[in-house]
Amino acid sequence: MAAPTALPLHMQRDRFDPPARMADLRGRPGLERVTTPLGLTAWLVTRYADVREVLGDATRFSSAGLPALPGSDDDQRAGNLLMIDPPEHTRLRRLLTGEFTVKRIRRLQPRVSEIVTDHLDAMAQAGPPADLVEQFALPIPSLVICELLGVPYADRAEFHRRASVQLDLTRPLSERGAVASESRAYMGTLVDRARAEPGEDMLGMLVREHGDDLTRAELVGVASLLLIAGHETTANMLSLGTLALLENPEQAATVRDDPEATAPAVEELMRFLSVVHSGVPRRVTRDTDVAGSPVSAGDLLVVSLPSADRDRALVEDPDRLDVGRGRASGATGSGPASHHVAFGHGVHHCLGAPLARMEMATAFPALLRRFPALAVAGEPEFRSAAVVYGLRHLPVTW
């Protein structure tokens, strides 16, 4: 099976924005036919209310039973929270939830601040120009998730390479499947090590506290998902979000100078950028309606998260970045922008959202304070044909 040559509509971007056609689709009744990166035909869901409906109903719209990548191993779905439904999903997620509570994440904040400071020091010592992706946006969340999971940071080059191939939709499906199996094999060695001698990291905790409730394949799947999701999404938000702020200097100054602006700014950047195009497609389990259109059991649905987050039903003037949207609701970022679907919605809402929010709330203001004259020093290289949208390179100076 060959990957489609044209980028699917729901993955197209114009720098920060979904294509103009998305706004046209939101304004019309019904659904649009698209082809997924696996070459399957699906219905595209574009409106905010409809996206929330699909993501919020795991009974009518299932994440399970989707085709696996060619060349990947038979255990690809085991432990992968994105590809299973309740009650199996509920059982696994409950075992992990304690590691991602707001209280637990607050305890990690000093270490995240230290990691951010170390990378800022290294950038300052090396001097400009710098590639913000390579020297700041990618290594910070990578080190955080490595320490959290118990993955050797010395292995980062290899797991970055494997993650990049798995998420790169220009690669042959067989190559992506084979690399997915490589990734699981690597994580299997770490799981076996943790089972033999559990440490204080998350893998060790899962083995000590839930070793009888989780199979080896489930441990491998959970850890593999957290490793990829824990650095890819946050890294692209840090680089793309920095570029968006630099192109809006007044808003960058607000994030730099006003601590109470940070939380609302993070929510607005998540809404405005929505780096995950669609997440896992949903399979319709019974004949029903979506967006006023009939869909049949077995049909595939793809939700456009960026389109939903640019819907006027969510915020006014949605195509404008405004880090102050949530200020009227206080410093918690609880205004309209915080109701975005960039972290998903429903039972599959991103488990690591509190960690991602904390990393961004720490990194953005720290970067802008350390380098108040930070500026783009060349043409950014955008990455469109990937599961997570973002930047390959962002040259900066100060």
Side-chain angles (χ1 to χ4, degrees):
M1 189 189 307
T5 55
L7 201 60
L9 176 62
H10 63 281
M11 295 182 60
Q12 295 175 22
R13 305 276 183 128
D14 181 5
R15 302 186 87 248
F16 304 124
D17 303 326
R21 189 177 171 204
M22 282 296 193
D24 295 336
L25 293 178
R26 286 197 305 271
R28 303 202 312 251
L31 303 171
E32 181 83 356
R33 281 284 195 184
V34 293
T35 300
T36 74
L38 289 178
L40 305 173
T41 300
W43 293 108
L44 179 63
V45 185
T46 59
R47 286 175 287 278
Y48 177 72
D50 300 328
V51 167
R52 282 176 59 94
E53 178 187 1
V54 171
L55 296 181
D57 190 342
T59 302
R60 285 190 297 154
F61 311 111
S62 171
S63 297
L66 299 173
L69 289 173
S72 59
D73 59 51
D74 293 335
D75 283 336
Q76 187 190 42
R77 291 185 182 85
N80 187 337
L81 292 167
L82 300 178
M83 301 182 73
I84 56 177
D85 292 330
E88 184 183 5
H89 176 276
T90 307
R91 174 182 68 86
L92 287 176
R93 185 167 177 127
R94 186 179 295 124
L95 301 181
L96 293 166
T97 299
E99 293 299 303
F100 291 98
T101 61
V102 173
K103 183 177 180 180
R104 173 66 188 269
I105 296 306
R106 281 184 185 140
R107 292 205 299 268
L108 294 175
Q109 205 279 330
R111 176 57 182 145
V112 172
S113 291
E114 183 180 2
I115 291 170
V116 168
T117 299
D118 288 346
H119 284 80
L120 291 173
D121 289 346
M123 281 179 61
Q125 184 173 359
D131 181 350
L132 196 79
V133 174
E134 180 182 343
Q135 294 175 243
F136 186 78
L138 182 57
I140 288 171
S142 296
L143 182 52
V144 171
I145 200 64
C146 282
E147 291 192 2
L148 189 64
L149 281 174
V151 175
Y153 190 55
D155 295 346
R156 66 191 180 280
E158 269 304 293
F159 75 66
H160 285 165
R161 179 192 66 80
R162 289 190 294 263
S164 179
V165 171
Q166 287 175 256
L167 300 179
D168 185 351
L169 300 177
T170 67
R171 302 276 188 145
L173 296 176
S174 57
E175 180 186 4
R176 292 171 58 210
V179 171
S181 293
E182 283 180 30
S183 296
R184 291 183 65 89
Y186 165 74
M187 193 56 69
T189 63
L190 301 185
V191 166
D192 291 341
R193 190 182 309 167
R195 293 172 100 184
E197 191 174 345
E200 295 304 313
D201 49 68
M202 188 184 295
L203 270 180
M205 178 279 296
L206 288 171
V207 168
R208 281 195 309 275
E209 299 182 14
H210 307 293
D212 295 335
D213 304 317
L214 291 165
T215 66
R216 179 183 183 275
E218 286 175 335
L219 278 169
V220 169
V222 164
S224 298
L225 174 63
L226 292 177
L227 180 61
I228 293 178
H231 78 270
E232 276 285 342
T233 50
T234 306
N236 284 291
M237 272 302 304
L238 287 176
S239 58
L240 206 60
T242 298
L243 178 60
L245 289 172
L246 293 179
E247 293 190 0
N248 293 270
E250 291 183 3
Q251 300 195 50
T254 298
V255 174
R256 182 190 67 216
D257 299 333
D258 184 356
E260 292 191 354
T262 303
V266 166
E267 298 307 320
E268 172 67 354
L269 286 165
M270 286 295 304
R271 180 202 69 81
F272 185 72
L273 299 171
S274 299
V275 295
V276 177
H277 297 293
S278 61
V280 174
R282 299 308 199 264
R283 181 78 67 183
V284 179
T285 61
R286 62 173 184 262
D287 294 354
T288 187
D289 288 348
V290 175
S293 295
V295 291
S296 303
D299 282 358
L300 207 58
L301 301 178
V302 169
V303 298
S304 173
L305 302 179
S307 176
D309 282 335
R310 296 297 186 93
D311 194 332
R312 284 183 170 81
L314 174 60
V315 295
E316 294 182 6
D317 197 7
D319 293 321
R320 180 174 61 89
L321 177 67
D322 178 5
V323 299
R325 286 187 197 272
R327 297 302 298 276
S329 303
T332 60
S334 57
S338 68
H339 300 154
H340 62 75
V341 291
F343 283 123
H345 176 65
V347 298
H348 291 283
H349 183 272
C350 177
L351 181 69
L355 176 61
R357 284 184 167 109
M358 184 267 282
E359 290 183 76
M360 287 185 279
T362 303
F364 282 129
L367 172 67
L368 296 171
R369 284 195 297 266
R370 176 64 71 89
F371 304 116
L374 190 71
V376 178
E379 192 64 31
E381 183 180 342
F382 290 86
R383 184 182 79 170
S384 298
V387 174
V388 181
Y389 182 64
L391 292 169
R392 297 187 190 279
H393 301 288
L394 177 57
V396 294
T397 189
W398 55 88

